[in-house]
Amino acid sequence: LEEQLLDLRGAVLFVTHDRALLGRLATRILELDRGALTSWPGSYASFLEKKDAALKKVKEAVVGRKTRK
């Protein structure tokens, strides 16, 4: 199945919890988190890195606001 999906021209949308499959096939991750849809271009590994950086940035902003009060 994976080989057939890799050979397809065009877009394929799949929903899975299979991280290995995501790592082999995904070229963009669409994430629905707390009602917000975010498009993360790149591989699954790239998504994990970008998401981690984004979460750290949010956490730093929250901590910074608490510190200033």
Side-chain angles (χ1 to χ4, degrees):
L1 176 64
E2 290 177 31
E3 290 299 321
Q4 290 174 335
L5 291 173
L6 286 170
D7 290 340
L8 285 175
R9 290 183 178 221
V12 175
L13 174 66
F14 55 94
V15 178
T16 184
H17 291 278
D18 185 339
R19 294 177 181 173
L21 180 73
L22 286 170
R24 290 187 297 271
L25 297 178
T27 58
R28 176 177 301 275
I29 304 292
L30 295 175
E31 177 191 37
L32 182 58
D33 183 21
R34 291 170 274 189
L37 183 65
T38 306
S39 177
W40 301 89
S43 66
Y44 181 62
S46 172
F47 157 73
L48 293 174
E49 291 172 8
K50 292 175 188 176
K51 177 70 177 189
D52 185 56
L55 290 173
K56 285 179 182 175
K57 190 173 182 179
V58 169
K59 184 177 180 180
E60 289 170 0
V62 169
V63 169
R65 278 185 277 182
K66 288 181 180 179
T67 304
R68 289 190 292 253
K69 288 185 178 181

